[in-house]
Structures are given as structure tokens and as C-alpha cells.
Amino acid sequence: MENKVIYIAGLGLIGGSLALGIRRDHPDYKILGYNRSDKSRNVALERGIVDEATADFKEFAPLADVIVLAVPIKQTIEFIKVLADMDLKDNVIITDAGSTKREIVEAGEKYLAGQSVRFVGSHPMAGSHKSGAIAAEVNLFENAYYIFTPSRLTDASTIADMKVILSGLHARYIEIDAAEHDRVTSQISHFPHILAASLMEQAGDYASEHEMTNHFAAGGFRDMTRIAEGMWTSILLTNKAAVLERIDDFKNRLDGVAELISQNDADAIWNYFNHAKETRKEMNIHKRGGVESGFDIFVDVPDEEDVILEILELLRGTSLVNIHINEENREDINGILQISLKNIKDFEHAKKVISENTDYKVYVN
């Protein structure tokens, strides 16, 4: 493919990481960037994430072969409206990086109709607790799903061209209808954030009368509420019907469990949890294709000084995503050290070096 001009609007974690991934396989492409804040623009320029940057969204749009809108959902829709009134290159590809897709795809079909553009919705399913251009990372999307949601303005070449442009992301590409995307993510992404936030609200209120709640909150509670720190207002409001349906469904399930407990139905309660366990085994959260892009290994570690430092030293040079202890260490038990890695090569290497250089049990789910 000939040299391209790529314009990325939004130089935060997602937009900046997209730029780095594109540059990895296409160093000859010219990458232009928009960001409202001076700080992210300056960081993006200093790190070589983009070749040029602007605070005026309209400035670079006419130059671009591909325009990526990596901004919040409502701003994405506003920028689509702006692009509809501009003189763009013929056959330009316009795409986005939003976490909900139906409203964005509908906006593209409505406002860009009749234009010489190719529009396709996109959702790169990866992220981090970090933000801004300073957090941009070339391997952020490695092995993660990169979802395309075609529109009436997506022709036969659009997604094929995007896969070539995005080849340096090392992502896994999949196509799905925009409305179905929103239904699926309402269950496995949007509703769990509501549940985590609700658990934190409940525990916070409970702690006002039961002080030790804050001290005993670890293990499963910690893992279930980790995602409660995210800000999801625009996502929930652009996927309202699906999210509300999931909430109603969950209320009914809780009522069902409450009835089993009130009736002292031990067999039914056991079956309830066993069914959940078996269902979890069948889901891709235990396989390489899950939306989380990490490869996890688990190590039984004793409560001894410098154990974790010893293991990390063995893993020097690997692409670690995250580490944490799944159980609080006590003198009479091992903790479970969970190590998330970015790719299969580092995953296999980590298993090998820890097994060969320590006496700790290493296993995978």
C-alpha cells in the first residue's frame, strides 16, 4: 500500500497507542494528530507518536487518507457532523475507537451519506488504568480484539485496507453488527462496571456502621471491585436500553437466589454455584481469545522476603501486563502470584524460567 496520511483525533492512551502501532509497521506513513490540551500534543510530538499536531480539528482533516476519531463518544458524533461539511479526500476512510457503536454508526450513516467517504465503526478492546499520551504503548492492542462494526458506507475494501494500516497493532480483528456489539458489551463490560460501583457504594455505607468492613475487604471483593474506578457515564447513556435490560435480568436472578436461601434449599444453592463454575470454564476468559489481552500464569509463593523480587528478576525483559497476589499471605499458607503477560512468547518463557529456577508450583487455568 502506498504512503498514507493518517489523522488521529485524540492523543490519549488509545489514540497514541494506535499511532505507535501504525508507525511500527508503516514508518513511511505521515501521522498527524489533534488534541485539545497542549500537554498531550507536546508529549505526542516529543515521543514521536505523531509528526505534527494541532488544536484545531479541521486543520488536518482535508489532508488525511484515514481519519481516526479516538475521542469520547459524544465528541465523536460531533466530529462526524463537522467532517460531513468539509472537503475531504475522495474515498477517505473515517473510523472511531468508541466503546459503544450503534449511535456512532447511525451518526456516520446519517451525516456522511452522499459523501465520497468510507465509514466503519471500530472498537479496540484494550485499555489501562493510565491515561494520556504519556501512557501510549505500542503493544497495548497485542492479542486484543479489534472490532469493526460495518455501516452502509463500508465498502468491500474498507476493512481490508484498515487491517493493513493497523497491522502493527498485532491485534485480532473481528466484524460484528453495531447493535449486537452493544448488546454483548452491555453484559460483559458495561453492566459489570455498574455492579462493581454498586458493591463499593454498598460496602462504603455498610462500613459507616461496621468499621471492620474496610479492613477485611480483600481477595474476592478486591477483584470484583477493581473496575469500579472507571468513569462510564457516556458509555451507559449511549447503550441505555441494553444496560437497563441487563440490570432487570440481574435483579430477577438475585431474587431467585434469595428465595433459595430463605427456603434453606441446600441442593439448589449448591447447583447454582456449580452451574456458575461450569459456565465460567466454558467462557473465553480461560482461553487465548478472550477480550483481555493478557496470558496468565499462577505461582504458589511462600510468605518469604524478596520472593516476588526473585521472580520478577527472572522475568526481566518480558512484556508484563500486571501482577498481583490473589490471596493474602500468611505464615501457614502460600499466596498465589498471578502474572499477566502480553504475548504467547513471553508466556511460555515465564513458565519455563520460573519452573526451572525455583521450587514454586507454576500452573495455568
Side-chain angles (χ1 to χ4, degrees):
M1 184 177 290
E2 70 277 10
N3 293 354
K4 297 286 185 182
V5 176
I6 312 297
Y7 182 28
I8 298 179
L11 298 174
L13 171 71
I14 299 300
S17 298
L18 287 172
L20 289 173
I22 293 170
R23 192 181 293 285
R24 172 157 59 184
D25 270 15
H26 304 288
D28 49 342
Y29 283 10
K30 187 171 185 178
I31 302 181
L32 307 175
Y34 157 85
N35 210 83
R36 185 174 57 183
S37 74
D38 294 339
K39 182 177 180 180
S40 284
R41 288 200 311 276
N42 291 337
V43 170
L45 289 168
E46 290 167 3
R47 292 189 59 193
I49 293 173
V50 296
D51 298 301
E52 300 177 39
T54 181
D56 178 5
F57 172 69
K58 293 183 178 181
E59 181 178 356
F60 292 149
L63 308 176
D65 298 291
V66 178
I67 299 172
V68 181
L69 304 176
V71 292
I73 297 167
K74 293 300 184 184
Q75 189 175 3
T76 293
I77 293 172
E78 290 304 311
F79 278 174
I80 288 172
K81 296 177 183 178
V82 171
L83 292 172
D85 293 329
M86 296 188 67
D87 185 17
L88 305 174
K89 281 187 177 180
D90 286 343
N91 223 27
V92 60
I93 295 177
I94 299 174
T95 189
D96 74 297
S99 296
T100 60
K101 299 269 51 90
R102 183 183 57 81
E103 287 196 11
I104 290 174
V105 167
E106 287 178 353
E109 291 177 337
K110 177 180 179 180
Y111 296 108
L112 298 174
Q115 308 282 343
S116 180
V117 304
R118 295 178 286 167
F119 177 79
V120 59
S122 300
H123 180 194
M125 292 193 74
S128 167
H129 64 282
K130 301 176 182 178
S131 61
I134 192 68
E137 205 266 298
V138 68
N139 292 316
L140 182 67
F141 306 107
E142 187 170 349
N143 296 312
Y145 279 135
Y146 197 106
I147 300 174
F148 293 111
T149 55
S151 75
R152 291 195 296 269
L153 305 180
T154 304
D155 67 18
S157 67
T158 305
I159 294 176
D161 286 350
M162 284 299 299
K163 288 180 180 179
V164 172
I165 292 163
L166 299 173
S167 60
L169 272 58
H170 301 168
R172 302 174 178 213
Y173 302 104
I174 189 169
E175 298 177 37
I176 188 173
D177 172 74
E180 180 63 9
H181 167 279
D182 288 0
R183 285 189 286 267
V184 172
T185 53
S186 74
Q187 174 64 63
I188 52 87
S189 180
H190 307 163
F191 173 69
H193 280 79
I194 297 173
L195 186 57
S198 298
L199 282 171
M200 287 308 310
E201 287 282 333
Q202 184 188 49
D205 289 344
Y206 203 64
S208 65
E209 296 183 7
H210 303 276
E211 180 183 358
M212 296 307 294
T213 299
N214 289 334
H215 299 281
F216 293 166
F221 184 84
R222 176 196 58 215
D223 293 340
M224 287 185 68
T225 57
R226 176 184 58 81
I227 58 175
E229 298 178 1
M231 302 300 292
W232 284 66
T233 303
S234 63
I235 292 173
L236 298 180
L237 293 181
T238 53
N239 199 18
K240 184 165 58 175
V243 170
L244 289 174
E245 192 276 334
R246 292 294 81 204
I247 292 174
D248 285 342
D249 178 86
F250 199 78
K251 288 178 181 177
N252 292 333
R253 292 175 187 273
L254 285 181
D255 287 341
V257 176
E259 183 66 19
L260 297 180
I261 296 170
S262 68
Q263 293 176 356
N264 295 313
D265 193 336
D267 289 340
I269 293 171
W270 187 92
N271 287 332
Y272 176 81
F273 282 102
N274 185 63
H275 181 262
K277 181 181 73 173
E278 295 303 318
T279 301
R280 191 172 191 271
K281 286 181 181 179
E282 296 300 316
M283 294 187 73
N284 273 343
I285 50 179
H286 289 297
K287 301 174 184 177
R288 297 290 176 260
V291 298
E292 296 290 340
S293 59
F295 296 77
D296 291 346
I297 64 172
F298 301 85
V299 186
D300 283 345
V301 291
D303 183 17
E304 297 175 1
E305 187 175 358
D306 294 337
V307 166
I308 294 178
L309 289 177
E310 173 192 359
I311 292 174
L312 292 180
E313 183 62 31
L314 292 172
L315 300 181
R316 183 184 293 273
T318 58
S319 298
L320 292 178
V321 177
N322 194 15
I323 63 169
H324 72 268
I325 299 290
N326 287 340
E327 293 181 4
E328 298 297 326
N329 272 3
R330 299 200 318 264
E331 291 183 359
D332 59 332
I333 64 170
N334 284 350
I336 301 173
L337 177 65
Q338 180 177 351
I339 305 171
S340 301
L341 300 114
K342 196 66 174 180
N343 56 58
I344 187 65
K345 178 182 177 182
D346 287 337
F347 172 77
E348 297 294 347
H349 172 73
K351 285 195 300 180
K352 184 174 186 291
V353 296
I354 297 173
S355 297
E356 291 180 352
N357 292 280
T358 75
D359 295 326
Y360 312 140
K361 180 181 178 182
V362 179
Y363 55 98
V364 298
N365 280 337

